[in-house]
Amino acid sequence: MLGFLFSTKECHELEYLLKRELEEMLLDFGDKRIDYLVKRAMEERYSILFKMYARLASPNEISKYVRRKRAEEERIT
């Protein structure tokens, strides 16, 4: 495990970057042209980024990016 010390401004910037990446990935999950294997890799990455974002954001903000596994899997297959 690594530890980082961020200033308040740096935390806001990191939160912004993570939020934008999560939003982009949510849009990509709905794209039918993306292959199943690529989406599986995206799911792993999304999970990591979401956990990072959850450490910085408020519970209200976090709830916007929670994915429902079953609904997403049905759309993929």
Side-chain angles (χ1 to χ4, degrees):
M1 176 177 272
L2 294 174
F4 290 98
L5 292 176
F6 291 117
S7 68
T8 303
K9 187 175 181 180
E10 291 169 334
C11 282
H12 290 300
E13 185 65 26
L14 181 60
E15 183 178 347
Y16 174 80
L17 292 172
L18 290 170
K19 188 183 333 181
R20 295 300 160 230
E21 187 64 24
L22 290 172
E23 288 174 359
E24 186 69 29
M25 291 180 80
L26 284 174
L27 289 174
D28 289 343
F29 283 128
D31 191 345
K32 302 288 186 195
R33 299 174 294 173
I34 298 176
D35 187 48
Y36 174 76
L37 292 174
V38 174
K39 285 188 179 182
R40 295 298 288 168
M42 287 171 50
E43 287 176 4
E44 290 178 26
R45 184 166 187 255
Y46 188 90
S47 175
I48 293 168
L49 293 175
F50 179 79
K51 289 175 187 174
M52 290 173 63
Y53 181 66
R55 294 179 185 201
L56 298 170
S58 68
N60 190 30
E61 288 291 319
I62 294 168
S63 65
K64 296 177 185 177
Y65 300 100
V66 173
R67 292 187 62 225
R68 293 183 185 95
K69 281 281 187 184
R70 297 209 188 270
E72 293 298 324
E73 288 174 1
E74 289 174 5
R75 277 194 263 162
I76 291 174
T77 57

